[in-house]
Amino acid sequence: MPAHAAHHDDREIETLDDFDATVSARGTLAGFRVQAVDLTDRTRQLLATDTTGAVFLGCPMREDAAAKVRADGAMVFPPVPNLPFNPYRGLLYSPDELFDGLAKGYEETPDARAYAWFQRTKADGDIFASMLRSIHDDAVSDALDELLRGTRVVGVMGGHAMARGTQAYAGAARLGRELTRSGLTVATGGGPGAMEAANLGAYAAPYDDDMLTEALRLLAEAPGFTPSITDWAAAAFEVRARWPKGGTSVGIPTWFYGHEPPNPFASHIAKYFANATREDGLLARSNAGVVFLPGAAGTVQEIFDNATPNYYESRGEPTPMVLVDRAHWTERLPAWPLLTALARERSMESRIALVDRIEEAPAALKRLAG
């Protein structure tokens, strides 16, 4: 996955290093968009640099600098006070950012405070709050597109109820590890259960196989996020501390399901307020296909959310879909018969597969990609 760098081609500045590099190399900020960069110590540069047509989104700056850039014709959207999140953010979240303050209890973290704000403002129907949520989610989508540009992404979907310490969880982790080692970027819904397991596997990919075995043992001591999200997350951060240089992957969770915390093993977290935006975006970006592990209503929805553009080819050539666990998808929740009926005599027919065991999924994915 490419590291973040200054985007001089698309005229977006998202870090202080980007800002300094742009001013040094270009000598102008005219027409640039600066997102959530603290410019209080860059007054001299702002006063000396042309900012005609620039847009500053949530960038703290001194009043004389703000007055000057406005006089240039730039637009300045000041930071919004007393928010537990930055609606103008230029980069995705990290686990450390969302779980900051975990030692005091999960309720004190930015993730929990953002959910509390969402619940409060959603209930009172405040139009200003809904606008802020929309701006935030659009900024997250922009950052996600920049991160994944030029990468082959495989989605791994599955239920949040899959507990640490189970064979199913271990299998999902090994799947994430194998997909990452094959050169794919794993993307999940970013929550607990099967999603966490796949992100954990991606995190374990640079290490020898014994690391994952030991990590699974440690995590099994806190098998689920109930009754204590704090203990559940602390176990994950203990693993991260013991093995600090894990592989990269993406988690795409939502505050809509606020009772489900994001998992700390995704290196990049694109967290949304709008679940519909999050669901569609996750599947649309899985350009190398999707593996569906056993799940309930949410996973069934994702299967057919993915099947619809494959059926109509609205995103181009259909992408692979691999369903894991024949009994689950043909008997307990018989999504497979309906999927095969939809696919019959269409180009997507050669892009779907049902396998018995999770170990078969990578080979099936590769075969379908042809």
Side-chain angles (χ1 to χ4, degrees):
M1 188 181 298
H4 178 77
H7 297 289
H8 294 163
D9 56 336
D10 58 17
R11 308 185 76 78
E12 291 181 15
I13 296 173
E14 294 145 345
T15 68
L16 199 56
D17 286 343
D18 283 2
F19 179 88
D20 291 340
T22 301
V23 171
S24 175
R26 303 287 289 269
T28 181
L29 292 168
F32 277 82
R33 281 78 175 101
V34 190
Q35 287 178 254
V37 180
D38 189 341
L39 299 176
T40 52
D41 292 332
R42 293 298 186 273
T43 301
R44 178 177 58 82
Q45 290 89 334
L46 289 169
L47 293 176
T49 305
D50 180 18
T51 59
T52 304
V55 179
F56 294 86
L57 300 167
C59 298
M61 63 180 74
R62 300 192 189 282
E63 187 50 47
D64 53 344
K68 183 267 181 186
V69 301
R70 286 192 183 99
D72 280 352
M75 297 185 69
V76 178
F77 293 79
V80 181
N82 304 315
L83 273 184
F85 64 94
N86 188 339
Y88 302 116
R89 62 180 305 112
L91 305 175
L92 298 183
Y93 292 98
S94 69
D96 290 331
E97 181 181 0
L98 286 176
F99 285 97
D100 186 42
L102 181 66
K104 299 177 183 178
Y106 171 72
E107 296 75 15
E108 300 299 318
T109 65
D111 186 64
R113 289 188 285 111
Y115 176 60
W117 176 90
F118 178 37
Q119 290 297 97
R120 185 175 64 253
T121 58
K122 182 176 66 172
D124 63 25
D126 181 3
I127 183 62
F128 181 56
S130 67
M131 181 191 75
L132 293 175
R133 293 196 297 268
S134 296
I135 292 171
H136 168 274
D137 285 2
D138 191 65
V140 166
S141 290
D142 182 66
L144 186 59
D145 285 338
E146 290 176 355
L147 178 76
L148 296 180
R149 189 175 296 152
T151 63
R152 296 179 64 233
V153 180
V154 58
V156 179
M157 311 299 165
H160 69 270
M162 184 184 287
R164 296 168 174 174
T166 63
Q167 287 300 312
Y169 185 95
R174 289 191 293 270
L175 172 66
R177 183 178 64 185
E178 184 170 348
L179 293 172
T180 301
R181 286 177 175 176
S182 73
L184 297 169
T185 295
V186 168
T188 77
M195 298 170 280
E196 180 191 54
N199 287 128
L200 167 64
Y203 189 89
Y207 291 94
D208 62 36
D209 290 356
D210 290 342
M211 174 269 178
L212 181 56
T213 301
E214 181 63 10
L216 290 169
R217 185 189 66 78
L218 291 172
L219 292 171
E221 297 176 9
F225 63 94
T226 58
S228 172
I229 295 176
T230 302
D231 292 346
W232 173 85
F237 278 100
E238 181 182 350
V239 169
R240 285 167 47 94
R242 286 190 60 173
W243 296 279
K245 296 182 180 180
T248 60
S249 67
V250 177
I252 308 181
T254 174
W255 279 293
F256 184 82
Y257 297 126
H259 62 287
E260 293 183 17
N263 80 73
F265 291 112
S267 55
H268 301 84
I269 301 176
K271 191 151 191 180
Y272 287 87
F273 289 105
N275 185 52
T277 305
R278 166 251 191 177
E279 288 273 10
D280 185 67
L282 170 55
L283 294 167
R285 291 174 176 86
S286 296
N287 54 15
V290 183
V291 177
F292 297 93
L293 304 179
T299 310
V300 172
Q301 177 182 339
E302 288 163 345
I303 289 172
F304 293 104
D305 280 348
N306 194 207
T308 299
N310 280 347
Y311 179 90
Y312 289 111
E313 299 187 46
S314 55
R315 294 181 186 141
E317 186 177 336
T319 52
M321 300 176 65
V322 179
L323 278 61
V324 176
D325 191 331
R326 187 176 302 274
H328 186 85
W329 295 121
T330 61
E331 299 171 17
R332 287 188 287 275
L333 293 174
W336 177 251
L338 178 53
L339 183 63
T340 55
L342 281 172
R344 191 171 297 122
E345 297 181 357
R346 303 187 75 88
S347 57
M348 69 178 285
E349 187 172 21
S350 63
R351 296 300 179 94
I352 63 173
L354 175 65
V355 298
D356 288 309
R357 298 180 301 110
I358 199 168
E359 292 79 8
E360 301 173 72
L365 193 69
K366 185 176 181 179
R367 183 179 69 254
L368 296 179

